[in-house]
Amino acid sequence: MKLLLLEDDDLLAESMKDTLKEDGYVVDWAASIREAESFMSTESYVLTIIDLGLPDGSGLELLERWRKQGWQLPILILTARDTWEDKVVGLRGGADDYLTKPFHMSELMARIYALIRRRSGGVANILSVNGIELDEFSRRVSVNGGCWQELTSTEYRLLRYLMRHPDRVYSKLQLLDQLYSLEQDAADPNLVEVYISRLRRRLGKEYIQTRRGQGYLFVSH
């Protein structure tokens, strides 16, 4: 899943990106409102993290503008402003949650997970489709109640994306976009074939099907 991080503190942003990537997320980082709006115009995200104090404007005004434009994705405010009045203003402006600096990374991860789970209507950390169970906390997979298998970070991100969008065909480039952030060097689309092959060895060939000339899909039945 892909997140947008809008934070102008380079050191904090790098630390957050590393932690988020370790947990299986793909992160695009913007240090200004201009960059964030550019990302939002071309990319699709499951959640956005916004700092309020930015070099080219107010994160709160950006949040309110996005809500007026109809953006419905979860938005988490991250800021040093810690009074209850600031929190009320942020939440009324359209934020889904509010976390003040300094904070523990574990709390940030828990809040992100809760927001995504709430938006998807889920109540558990086990994603289950067609006999495949994916534990989104431990990044393990089980086939038809069998032993749990550990997944690499990339295997996990790819499988989670396919399982969250079953019966939809995705091209190599679309899947690659979910595996790597925009700032990374362009990856070879053939890497998708490599990871699809690895997942098939773990799950069985029947779960991830190939549509020749189109891409791949995870079958739900």
Side-chain angles (χ1 to χ4, degrees):
M1 286 186 280
K2 181 175 278 192
L3 312 182
L4 175 62
L5 170 62
L6 175 51
E7 169 61 62
D8 65 332
D9 184 325
D10 293 3
L11 292 178
L12 177 58
E14 288 294 340
S15 176
M16 292 174 64
K17 283 169 52 185
D18 289 344
T19 301
L20 288 164
K21 287 179 181 178
E22 288 175 2
D23 206 53
Y25 297 100
V26 175
V27 183
D28 286 337
W29 170 44
S32 67
I33 289 175
R34 180 179 58 81
E35 291 177 333
E37 291 196 302
S38 177
F39 281 136
M40 286 288 284
S41 68
T42 60
E43 301 300 312
S44 178
Y45 301 101
V46 297
L47 180 141
T48 298
I49 303 169
I50 297 180
D51 185 14
L52 294 187
L54 297 161
D56 58 346
S58 165
L60 181 59
E61 291 179 1
L62 175 65
L63 164 61
E64 292 174 341
R65 183 161 66 249
W66 280 352
R67 290 309 192 207
K68 288 179 181 178
Q69 292 171 351
W71 292 105
Q72 297 298 315
L73 79 168
I75 296 178
L76 170 65
I77 287 179
L78 189 65
T79 179
R81 304 175 189 177
D82 59 357
T83 67
W84 68 266
E85 293 94 343
D86 288 323
K87 294 180 181 180
V88 168
V89 170
L91 293 171
R92 284 184 173 174
D96 295 277
D97 202 353
Y98 194 110
L99 185 61
T100 57
K101 303 175 183 177
F103 59 89
H104 292 286
M105 286 295 181
S106 57
E107 182 180 5
L108 172 66
M109 301 309 300
R111 287 173 181 256
I112 288 173
Y113 180 80
L115 287 175
I116 294 174
R117 183 182 62 185
R118 187 188 312 161
R119 181 56 58 95
S120 65
V123 295
N125 63 299
I126 301 294
L127 179 60
S128 181
V129 182
N130 194 13
I132 302 297
E133 291 187 319
L134 180 66
D135 189 322
E136 296 186 290
F137 276 161
S138 65
R139 290 187 286 187
R140 299 181 302 166
V141 66
S142 172
V143 181
N144 293 320
C147 295
W148 289 97
Q149 304 177 57
E150 300 285 345
L151 297 172
T152 67
S153 179
T154 303
E155 289 171 346
Y156 168 68
R157 291 200 301 270
L158 179 57
L159 181 57
R160 179 172 62 177
Y161 188 73
L162 289 171
M163 289 181 66
R164 284 188 174 274
H165 305 88
D167 302 319
R168 299 184 188 178
V169 179
Y170 289 97
S171 69
K172 291 181 184 178
L173 290 179
Q174 287 175 316
L175 293 175
L176 203 65
D177 184 56
Q178 294 298 321
L179 297 177
Y180 299 95
S181 59
L182 293 178
E183 66 188 43
Q184 291 177 292
D185 293 334
D188 186 343
N190 288 328
L191 278 175
V192 173
E193 291 184 16
V194 173
Y195 285 103
I196 290 290
S197 178
R198 290 185 183 181
L199 289 175
R200 283 172 171 164
R201 287 198 296 270
R202 292 182 181 277
L203 310 179
K205 296 181 179 180
E206 66 272 22
Y207 293 100
I208 302 176
Q209 297 183 358
T210 301
R211 292 291 185 268
R212 191 168 301 279
Q214 300 178 60
Y216 303 95
L217 82 162
F218 189 95
V219 293
S220 64
H221 57 275

